[in-house]
Amino acid sequence: MTITSPFRRSRLRRAVLAGAAATGAVLSLLTTVPAHAKPKTTQVYVWATNVHMRSCAGYECEPYDRVRISRMHVTAYCQNRGDVVRDSGHVNDWWVQVDAGGPRGWISAVYVRGGGDMQPVPGVSQNFGDCF
């Protein structure tokens, strides 16, 4: 039979409790830190032909050189208000950030099927953080 002194049992108990507390702290940090979530995307249809894509939601950014979208589905990341666009009897100040298989850029919501005049495109995030 082994006899341990009260001092040794107290030291052992403190070490076990400290280890348990440290483990609990590490586990709580691991469970509370969110993983970097991939932004939610939506497929939208661009109904027009030769739609210019820009690096921002407005005319102050020149269109990308040789990048035009015509009657195709594209991946939409987010939408934001920008310059007003009038075309083919439609008007809208919402712009959608899209990827059509090349660089990501902005197109007017006027050219995206499903939205109404001066309305955002349904199903596309309005959270600007999803754009990046």
Side-chain angles (χ1 to χ4, degrees):
M1 174 161 125
T2 306
I3 300 175
T4 52
S5 70
F7 174 73
R8 190 170 186 176
R9 278 184 284 181
S10 174
R11 199 168 68 182
L12 181 60
R13 185 177 297 138
R14 279 185 293 201
V16 168
L17 288 174
T23 301
V26 168
L27 288 175
S28 70
L29 284 174
L30 291 175
T31 58
T32 58
V33 175
H36 182 66
K38 186 176 179 182
K40 180 183 168 243
T41 60
T42 305
Q43 290 291 305
V44 295
Y45 185 74
V46 178
W47 59 265
T49 57
N50 293 318
V51 176
H52 290 281
M53 186 184 299
R54 300 169 185 271
S55 62
C56 68
Y59 292 118
E60 68 269 17
C61 296
E62 290 294 318
Y64 291 152
D65 205 24
R66 296 177 295 210
V67 177
R68 301 225 178 147
I69 302 172
S70 295
R71 297 184 182 166
M72 63 187 292
H73 285 90
V74 296
T75 302
Y77 290 87
C78 66
Q79 58 188 327
N80 200 18
R81 285 202 149 122
D83 289 340
V84 175
V85 174
R86 290 171 169 62
D87 196 358
S88 302
H90 300 286
V91 59
N92 209 323
D93 64 347
W94 285 90
W95 288 67
V96 182
Q97 188 186 58
V98 300
D99 180 343
R104 198 185 291 188
W106 294 87
I107 63 170
S108 171
V110 161
Y111 305 113
V112 177
R113 181 185 293 164
D117 286 348
M118 300 305 284
Q119 298 294 317
V121 177
V124 177
S125 173
Q126 294 180 37
N127 179 1
F128 194 68
D130 290 339
C131 297
F132 304 99

